[in-house]
Amino acid sequence: MKHCTLLLAAISLALPAAASAKSTPLDIDRLHYETVHDAARRGIIAVDGQGRPLTFLLRIAKGQFLPPHGASGPIRLLTVISGTLSWGDGNKVDPASERTFGPGSIIVVPAQGGEHWAAARKDDVLLQAVLVHDGALAAEAAGQLAP
């Protein structure tokens, strides 16, 4: 019994050390960035098993404009990390329908028919995009989508 107690004590001391992997903050300035839409820089953070981006950062410098794009693809969840994003839906730029989104805003771009345009009119903008290739939105999120 004494050996069993000692063995259990040794295991309980070893488990926290084995299971205590440390979280690591990313230095986003060390990511490789590529230019997209001739107006923004994309840094991929994670890819799926097929090498498709799952999560990336998008940097849009003040004064830059991304023309209409994104008519098809996976569901995209965009979170504004910093700056004020100017946004419009559709394949034609219509300044009267432009909306602005600040830090913390989450925008859902549908997989089909999600053509949109974006700009950084007031300041630099940093977005985080999560791509949902093979999944779906949770019911509570899907229920908020525009018809």
Side-chain angles (χ1 to χ4, degrees):
M1 181 70 169
K2 186 175 184 182
H3 291 292
C4 214
T5 304
L6 288 174
L7 180 60
L8 288 175
I11 290 172
S12 68
L13 290 174
L15 284 178
S20 65
K22 293 185 179 181
S23 300
T24 304
L26 288 179
D27 179 351
I28 63 173
D29 293 324
R30 292 177 55 193
L31 295 175
H32 169 75
Y33 286 87
E34 62 184 339
T35 300
V36 294
H37 306 293
D38 295 324
R41 295 179 16 218
R42 179 178 75 168
I44 298 173
I45 296 173
V47 297
D48 68 9
Q50 297 176 34
R52 299 177 298 184
L54 288 174
T55 305
F56 62 84
L57 296 177
L58 191 65
R59 292 177 181 236
I60 309 170
K62 179 181 177 181
Q64 292 297 310
F65 173 79
L66 282 72
H69 64 280
S72 64
I75 296 170
R76 289 145 285 178
L77 305 171
L78 306 176
T79 302
V80 179
I81 303 296
S82 63
T84 301
L85 177 68
S86 296
W87 181 270
D89 291 305
N91 61 3
K92 293 184 178 157
V93 177
D94 177 10
S97 68
E98 185 173 285
R99 297 177 286 164
T100 58
F101 297 97
S105 298
I106 300 173
I107 303 163
V108 178
V109 181
Q112 298 299 320
E115 198 156 13
H116 57 276
W117 46 272
R121 301 199 189 285
K122 297 179 182 179
D123 46 17
D124 292 346
V125 173
L126 177 63
L127 302 174
Q128 178 175 316
V130 175
L131 307 179
V132 182
H133 291 284
D134 300 320
L137 295 176
E140 295 82 4
Q144 296 180 46
L145 298 181

